[in-house]
Amino acid sequence: MPAVRDRYAPSPTGALHLGGARTALFNYLYARQQGGQFLLRIEDTDRTRFKDGSQALIEEGLRWLGLNWDEPPLVQSERKPIYHQAAETLLASGAAYRCFCTPERLNEMRAEQRARKEPEKYDRRCRSIPPAEARRRADAGERHVVRQAIPTEGTTTLQDLVMGTVVFKNATLDDHVLLKSDGYPTYHLAFAVDDHQSRVSHVIRGDGWLPSAPKHLLLFQALQWDPPAFAHLPLVLGPDKKPLAKRHGARDVLEYREAGYLPEAVVNFIAFLGWSPGTTEDILTIDELIARFAIDKIQPSPAMANLERLDWLNGQFIRRLPVAELAKRIAPLMPGIAVESIEPLIPLVQERLRTLNEAREMLRFFFQEPEQVQLPQLVPKGRDAAGTTAALTAAAAALRGLSDWTLETIEPVLRSVADQCGWPARDLFMTLRVAITGRTVTPPLIESMGRLGKDRVLARLQRAAQTLTGPSPN
RNA sequence: GGCCCGUUCGUCUAGUUGGCCUAGGACGCUGCCCUCUCAAGGCAGAAAUCAGCGGUUCGAAUCCGCUACGGGCUACCA
């Protein structure tokens, strides 16, 4: 049994989106599980769609997800001679032929076929040109392509690891182009040559390729190479049930990083798009995914990305992170604030976060004086400014008298202040919350006060009381 | 038009050697508990006539056929 080698082979036309990331992930999981290699190949034979910087973006996305490849990526545009050599072999054996038809003729032909409601495929006119004559014309510089000569009879059977056995009638297959007139190979030729040379054992790719799989099989056969095993992955759909390649909220994997998602969560999320371990487990690390992955557990039907689930997963993974690690990941989002200052606050927010970015807002009041203490919520329903000022002042006075500043000392004091004022404790807590943090939704108040320190708490209470007593004199 | 793939709660799915499925889990949703806000957590609940029809069988979500619907491919794009 030859070693397992698989690959992710994107074309550099943009960034890495969720669907591509999933294809890469499945290849990665399988290779790692089998102790094989995961390769990256850049499919850049179409110079018209090529986008500068795309390769770097794709690589960054893969790296962020932790999908590291084992060998330097093969770049097809640097390998033209190799493809030509394969084309020559095919030409020599009659498995391919030169075609001199012009684009204009091809267009006319298709228009007629369409009008007659016939299948649109090349009519094979050039297939009957004697090879010697074709070679002469080619040598004379006549512009041409090389087409695959598909057998006119029989069937080609694909044993797909996901789709099962799929039988194609050869007669329905088109003589597609292998070598373009600009000298570049099409995907089909490059695919066969590259995967053979890279000793790829498993081709795990999007099911957009399923219809051309028989031609690929035929190509391997004509070249007398052992074909790899195939696994065609169903589409990933967006929330609108349209293929998730085009315009959807965040389509680039790196945008999820910007939005505060953990790569662990994104990996877990896309792993379950069309695959499941067959158990009720739903939160798995990448190592657990590697251990459980199985190609035959991949669903043959398309999966729709449920972004709400990603949010939930993200929260789950955030909660599982060690405090120091979480602090380290949040720190870059809060420029100017040291990790050391953030770490002690982590326990207050860890179970409240859905995305990393939310920490910034939640923790802001620790590093910055609140601005909107004049929130209407400062005064509880049914109370007035005077009563609230009194409560604030009473609380401040009581807190000032504390010699110990701990959760155990602060809370009882505040509760008794509430009693004295005739307020329910919850009302007092909300007033204090707004006064101290400037917000109505915060980490636990008492603990926050503890971390903030007595002086800053008292100062903020005082300031809030002042804003209540009327227009400030400044 | 031709070729090919698919169809279990709103969504991701379990189910694949037919019986333990009056279809299980998760997200989301609703309610309750906890509670200083918000979360988290706990408990409970609503939610799928397994696309439809017809077979095979003592018995089918699971096997077969047909239909419908959805999707992909049909380029000198990948």
Side-chain angles (χ1 to χ4, degrees), chain A residues 47 80 84 99-103 106 141-147 177-186:
Chain A
R47 299 153 311 144
K80 269 164 86 171
H84 283 252
C99 170
F100 301 90
C101 293
T102 62
L106 259 19
E142 192 171 341
R143 205 168 168 79
H144 68 282
V145 301
V146 173
R147 287 182 185 274
V177 172
L178 295 176
L179 212 52
K180 304 181 231 179
S181 57
D182 64 3
Y184 280 84
T186 60

Side-chain angles (χ1 to χ4, degrees), chain A residues 392-424:
Chain A
L392 244 20
T393 311
L399 291 172
R400 187 170 292 115
L402 283 178
S403 50
D404 277 347
W405 188 255
T406 65
L407 306 192
E408 290 69 30
T409 57
I410 298 171
E411 180 158 4
V413 163
L414 293 181
R415 288 192 185 277
S416 67
V417 167
D419 272 354
Q420 287 158 25
C421 299
W423 282 28

Side-chain angles (χ1 to χ4, degrees), chain A residues 132-153:
Chain A
E133 181 191 333
R135 166 160 293 273
R136 211 177 312 122
R137 287 169 68 177
D139 288 346
E142 192 171 341
R143 205 168 168 79
H144 68 282
V145 301
V146 173
R147 287 182 185 274
Q148 183 173 6
I150 302 284
T152 53
E153 295 183 337

